[in-house]
Amino acid sequence: MHGQAQEQDRGREPKRGRPRSEAAERAILQAVVRLLEEGEPLSGLSIERIARTAGVGKATIYRRWSGKEELFVDVLRHIEPPEPDLSGTSGLSDILVSLESMRRRGLAQRNSALLYNVFAQMKSHPKLWGAYQSTVIEPRRVAVTAAVRRAVAAGELRPDIDAELIEELFVGPMLLRTIHRKDSPLDDDLSERIVRAVLEGLLPRDAAAPTAAGTDVQPTVDPAGDTES
Protein backbone atom coordinates (compact mmCIF):
# COMPACT_ATOMS: atom_id res chain seq x y z
CA MET A 1 0.00 0.00 0.00
CA HIS A 2 2.80 2.37 0.92
CA GLY A 3 4.61 1.54 -2.36
CA GLN A 4 1.43 2.20 -4.33
CA ALA A 5 1.11 5.65 -2.72
CA GLN A 6 4.71 6.44 -3.68
CA GLU A 7 3.98 5.46 -7.28
CA GLN A 8 0.94 7.75 -7.31
CA ASP A 9 3.02 10.60 -5.88
CA ARG A 10 5.67 10.13 -8.59
CA GLY A 11 2.97 10.13 -11.24
CA ARG A 12 1.71 13.50 -9.98
CA GLU A 13 5.13 15.19 -9.87
CA PRO A 14 5.24 16.49 -13.49
CA LYS A 15 1.86 18.15 -13.03
CA ARG A 16 3.07 19.94 -9.89
CA GLY A 17 6.36 20.98 -11.49
CA ARG A 18 4.99 22.59 -14.66
CA PRO A 19 3.17 25.52 -12.97
CA ARG A 20 6.30 26.28 -10.94
CA SER A 21 8.37 26.29 -14.13
CA GLU A 22 5.97 28.65 -15.89
CA ALA A 23 5.82 30.91 -12.83
CA ALA A 24 9.62 31.09 -12.71
CA GLU A 25 9.78 31.93 -16.41
CA ARG A 26 7.22 34.71 -16.01
CA ALA A 27 9.12 36.08 -13.02
CA ILE A 28 12.36 36.19 -15.00
CA LEU A 29 10.80 37.92 -18.01
CA GLN A 30 9.02 40.41 -15.77
CA ALA A 31 12.24 41.07 -13.86
CA VAL A 32 14.02 42.06 -17.08
CA VAL A 33 11.11 44.31 -18.06
CA ARG A 34 11.15 45.92 -14.61
CA LEU A 35 14.87 46.63 -14.78
CA LEU A 36 14.54 48.10 -18.28
CA GLU A 37 11.63 50.28 -17.16
CA GLU A 38 13.83 51.55 -14.33
CA GLY A 39 16.33 52.73 -16.94
CA GLU A 40 18.86 49.90 -16.82
CA PRO A 41 20.52 49.57 -20.25
CA LEU A 42 20.69 46.18 -21.94
CA SER A 43 24.47 46.23 -21.67
CA GLY A 44 24.20 46.70 -17.89
CA LEU A 45 21.93 43.72 -17.27
CA SER A 46 23.72 40.69 -15.90
CA ILE A 47 22.30 37.22 -15.29
CA GLU A 48 23.13 37.71 -11.60
CA ARG A 49 21.11 40.94 -11.42
CA ILE A 50 18.18 39.43 -13.31
CA ALA A 51 18.15 36.34 -11.09
CA ARG A 52 18.25 38.45 -7.95
CA THR A 53 15.39 40.65 -9.15
CA ALA A 54 13.30 37.62 -10.17
CA GLY A 55 14.00 35.81 -6.92
CA VAL A 56 15.49 32.76 -8.62
CA GLY A 57 18.91 31.22 -8.94
CA LYS A 58 21.16 31.71 -11.97
CA ALA A 59 20.80 28.01 -12.77
CA THR A 60 17.05 28.52 -13.20
CA ILE A 61 17.76 31.07 -15.95
CA TYR A 62 20.41 28.98 -17.68
CA ARG A 63 18.08 25.98 -17.75
CA ARG A 64 15.75 28.00 -19.98
CA TRP A 65 18.08 30.28 -21.96
CA SER A 66 21.64 29.71 -23.16
CA GLY A 67 22.55 33.35 -22.51
CA LYS A 68 21.37 36.94 -22.42
CA GLU A 69 20.73 37.22 -26.16
CA GLU A 70 18.24 34.36 -26.14
CA LEU A 71 16.61 35.71 -22.97
CA PHE A 72 16.27 39.25 -24.34
CA VAL A 73 14.62 37.96 -27.53
CA ASP A 74 11.99 36.24 -25.38
CA VAL A 75 11.56 39.43 -23.37
CA LEU A 76 10.73 41.25 -26.60
CA ARG A 77 8.23 38.55 -27.50
CA HIS A 78 6.75 39.04 -24.02
CA ILE A 79 6.18 42.79 -24.43
CA GLU A 80 5.39 42.93 -28.15
CA PRO A 81 1.87 42.24 -29.44
CA PRO A 82 1.42 38.47 -29.79
CA GLU A 83 2.13 36.68 -33.06
CA PRO A 84 -0.97 36.32 -35.25
CA ASP A 85 -2.76 33.02 -35.72
CA LEU A 86 -2.51 32.11 -39.40
CA SER A 87 -4.90 29.58 -40.90
CA GLY A 88 -2.13 27.76 -42.75
CA THR A 89 -4.64 27.00 -45.49
CA SER A 90 -5.65 30.37 -46.91
CA GLY A 91 -3.28 32.55 -48.87
CA LEU A 92 -4.45 36.14 -49.23
CA SER A 93 -6.25 36.24 -45.88
CA ASP A 94 -3.10 35.04 -44.09
CA ILE A 95 -1.08 37.74 -45.89
CA LEU A 96 -3.59 40.33 -44.70
CA VAL A 97 -3.43 39.01 -41.12
CA SER A 98 0.37 39.19 -41.20
CA LEU A 99 0.37 42.77 -42.48
CA GLU A 100 -2.11 43.80 -39.80
CA SER A 101 0.15 42.22 -37.17
CA MET A 102 3.08 44.26 -38.50
CA ARG A 103 0.98 47.43 -38.34
CA ARG A 104 0.01 46.75 -34.73
CA ARG A 105 3.64 46.09 -33.77
CA GLY A 106 4.58 49.36 -35.43
CA LEU A 107 1.94 51.19 -33.39
CA ALA A 108 3.11 49.46 -30.22
CA GLN A 109 6.69 50.59 -30.79
CA ARG A 110 5.54 54.16 -31.37
CA ASN A 111 3.38 54.19 -28.26
CA SER A 112 5.71 52.31 -25.90
CA ALA A 113 8.85 54.10 -24.75
CA LEU A 114 10.12 50.77 -23.43
CA LEU A 115 9.80 48.98 -26.79
CA TYR A 116 11.28 51.94 -28.65
CA ASN A 117 14.29 52.13 -26.33
CA VAL A 118 14.89 48.37 -26.36
CA PHE A 119 14.89 48.24 -30.16
CA ALA A 120 17.18 51.26 -30.37
CA GLN A 121 19.64 49.58 -27.99
CA MET A 122 19.40 46.21 -29.72
CA LYS A 123 20.71 47.63 -32.98
CA SER A 124 23.98 48.52 -31.28
CA HIS A 125 24.39 44.92 -30.10
CA PRO A 126 25.05 42.87 -33.27
CA LYS A 127 24.80 39.51 -31.51
CA LEU A 128 21.44 40.35 -29.96
CA TRP A 129 20.11 41.96 -33.14
CA GLY A 130 21.22 38.91 -35.13
CA ALA A 131 19.45 36.59 -32.69
CA TYR A 132 16.24 38.62 -33.01
CA GLN A 133 16.49 38.61 -36.80
CA SER A 134 17.04 34.86 -37.04
CA THR A 135 14.51 33.71 -34.44
CA VAL A 136 11.73 36.30 -34.86
CA ILE A 137 11.98 38.24 -38.13
CA GLU A 138 13.02 35.37 -40.42
CA PRO A 139 10.19 33.04 -39.32
CA ARG A 140 7.72 35.87 -40.02
CA ARG A 141 9.15 36.31 -43.52
CA VAL A 142 8.99 32.58 -44.14
CA ALA A 143 5.35 32.50 -42.97
CA VAL A 144 4.29 35.28 -45.36
CA THR A 145 6.17 33.68 -48.26
CA ALA A 146 4.40 30.40 -47.52
CA ALA A 147 1.08 32.26 -47.58
CA VAL A 148 2.05 33.73 -50.96
CA ARG A 149 2.70 30.22 -52.30
CA ARG A 150 -0.70 29.08 -51.01
CA ALA A 151 -2.33 32.03 -52.77
CA VAL A 152 -0.50 31.14 -56.00
CA ALA A 153 -1.59 27.50 -55.71
CA ALA A 154 -5.20 28.65 -55.17
CA GLY A 155 -5.10 30.83 -58.27
CA GLU A 156 -5.29 34.08 -56.26
CA LEU A 157 -1.87 35.32 -57.40
CA ARG A 158 0.15 34.98 -60.59
CA PRO A 159 2.40 31.93 -60.76
CA ASP A 160 5.00 33.55 -63.05
CA ILE A 161 6.43 35.92 -60.40
CA ASP A 162 8.96 34.80 -57.80
CA ALA A 163 7.22 34.16 -54.45
CA GLU A 164 9.90 36.04 -52.51
CA LEU A 165 9.40 39.10 -54.72
CA ILE A 166 5.64 38.98 -54.19
CA GLU A 167 6.21 38.75 -50.42
CA GLU A 168 8.42 41.85 -50.59
CA LEU A 169 5.79 43.75 -52.60
CA PHE A 170 3.25 43.12 -49.86
CA VAL A 171 5.53 43.59 -46.85
CA GLY A 172 7.77 46.39 -48.14
CA PRO A 173 5.29 49.28 -47.79
CA MET A 174 4.41 48.25 -44.23
CA LEU A 175 8.07 47.94 -43.23
CA LEU A 176 8.77 51.36 -44.72
CA ARG A 177 6.08 52.99 -42.61
CA THR A 178 6.68 51.09 -39.37
CA ILE A 179 10.49 51.16 -39.34
CA HIS A 180 11.92 53.79 -41.68
CA ARG A 181 9.28 56.52 -41.56
CA LYS A 182 8.24 56.79 -37.95
CA ASP A 183 5.89 59.73 -38.63
CA SER A 184 3.97 57.99 -41.44
CA PRO A 185 0.32 57.24 -40.67
CA LEU A 186 -0.59 53.66 -39.73
CA ASP A 187 -4.30 53.91 -40.45
CA ASP A 188 -6.68 51.10 -39.51
CA ASP A 189 -7.26 50.21 -43.16
CA LEU A 190 -3.59 50.35 -44.22
CA SER A 191 -3.18 46.57 -44.53
CA GLU A 192 -6.25 46.27 -46.78
CA ARG A 193 -5.06 49.20 -48.93
CA ILE A 194 -1.64 47.63 -49.42
CA VAL A 195 -3.11 44.28 -50.45
CA ARG A 196 -5.57 45.97 -52.79
CA ALA A 197 -2.85 48.12 -54.40
CA VAL A 198 -0.61 45.11 -55.02
CA LEU A 199 -3.47 43.06 -56.46
CA GLU A 200 -4.81 45.82 -58.69
CA GLY A 201 -1.43 47.17 -59.77
CA LEU A 202 -0.49 50.77 -60.44
CA LEU A 203 -1.53 51.17 -64.07
CA PRO A 204 -4.69 53.12 -64.90
CA ARG A 205 -7.53 50.68 -65.43
CA ASP A 206 -7.79 51.39 -69.16
CA ALA A 207 -4.04 51.36 -69.85
CA ALA A 208 -2.10 48.58 -71.51
CA ALA A 209 0.97 47.16 -69.86
CA PRO A 210 4.05 49.14 -71.01
CA THR A 211 6.76 47.47 -73.02
CA ALA A 212 10.47 48.06 -72.46
CA ALA A 213 10.47 50.45 -75.43
CA GLY A 214 7.34 52.21 -74.15
CA THR A 215 9.05 53.00 -70.87
CA ASP A 216 12.31 54.00 -72.56
CA VAL A 217 14.07 51.15 -70.74
CA GLN A 218 15.84 49.21 -73.46
CA PRO A 219 18.58 46.64 -73.00
CA THR A 220 22.01 47.52 -74.35
CA VAL A 221 24.91 45.25 -75.04
CA ASP A 222 28.41 46.29 -74.11
CA PRO A 223 31.46 45.33 -76.21
CA ALA A 224 32.13 42.35 -73.91
CA GLY A 225 28.76 40.93 -74.81
CA ASP A 226 27.13 41.45 -71.38
CA THR A 227 23.54 42.68 -71.41
CA GLU A 228 22.83 45.76 -69.31
CA SER A 229 19.69 47.67 -68.54
Side-chain angles (χ1 to χ4, degrees):
M1 190 73 175
H2 180 66
Q4 184 178 1
Q6 285 181 325
E7 287 296 328
Q8 290 175 345
D9 287 343
R10 279 199 293 271
R12 285 195 295 264
E13 281 176 3
K15 293 182 180 179
R16 292 202 309 268
R18 185 170 178 78
R20 287 201 298 270
S21 174
E22 291 175 350
E25 188 167 311
R26 280 197 305 272
I28 293 164
L29 295 174
Q30 290 167 359
V32 177
V33 172
R34 190 181 318 130
L35 290 168
L36 291 171
E37 286 176 335
E38 291 171 358
E40 191 72 36
L42 285 173
S43 57
L45 288 179
S46 65
I47 295 296
E48 290 84 358
R49 177 86 181 274
I50 295 167
R52 189 165 60 251
T53 304
V56 301
K58 288 193 298 182
T60 303
I61 296 178
Y62 283 120
R63 275 197 296 269
R64 289 159 177 79
W65 297 279
S66 60
K68 289 200 298 182
E69 288 79 15
E70 190 178 324
L71 170 57
F72 290 158
V73 167
D74 273 357
V75 169
L76 271 173
R77 285 194 178 115
H78 180 67
I79 59 179
E80 276 190 316
E83 293 292 329
D85 291 324
L86 301 183
S87 70
T89 55
S90 176
L92 285 179
S93 64
D94 280 353
I95 292 170
L96 183 61
V97 169
S98 298
L99 289 179
E100 179 60 14
S101 175
M102 291 173 59
R103 187 185 74 86
R104 290 180 181 276
R105 284 196 302 271
L107 284 172
Q109 287 185 38
R110 290 183 184 185
N111 297 329
S112 167
L114 175 61
L115 268 175
Y116 182 86
N117 289 333
V118 170
F119 270 96
Q121 292 181 62
M122 277 178 59
K123 291 177 182 178
S124 63
H125 294 75
K127 211 173 161 186
L128 176 55
W129 186 241
Y132 183 76
Q133 290 288 321
S134 63
T135 62
V136 178
I137 301 300
E138 181 61 14
R140 290 172 182 166
R141 187 195 67 78
V142 169
V144 178
T145 304
V148 167
R149 292 195 172 99
R150 290 196 294 275
V152 170
E156 297 172 318
L157 294 173
R158 286 170 52 179
D160 58 325
I161 301 177
D162 181 72
E164 283 77 11
L165 177 58
I166 297 177
E167 182 265 339
E168 291 164 356
L169 290 173
F170 280 118
V171 171
M174 190 66 78
L175 284 178
L176 188 67
R177 290 204 180 194
T178 56
I179 295 177
H180 300 291
R181 295 181 180 170
K182 296 294 188 180
D183 56 344
S184 297
L186 295 174
D187 301 323
D188 290 346
D189 64 343
L190 179 59
S191 301
E192 290 91 342
R193 283 163 45 209
I194 289 173
V195 170
R196 192 181 312 119
V198 174
L199 293 179
E200 294 178 357
L202 301 178
L203 284 176
R205 294 185 185 280
D206 58 350
T211 63
T215 55
D216 293 324
V217 179
Q218 300 183 22
T220 59
V221 179
D222 68 8
D226 294 329
T227 301
E228 300 176 343
S229 58

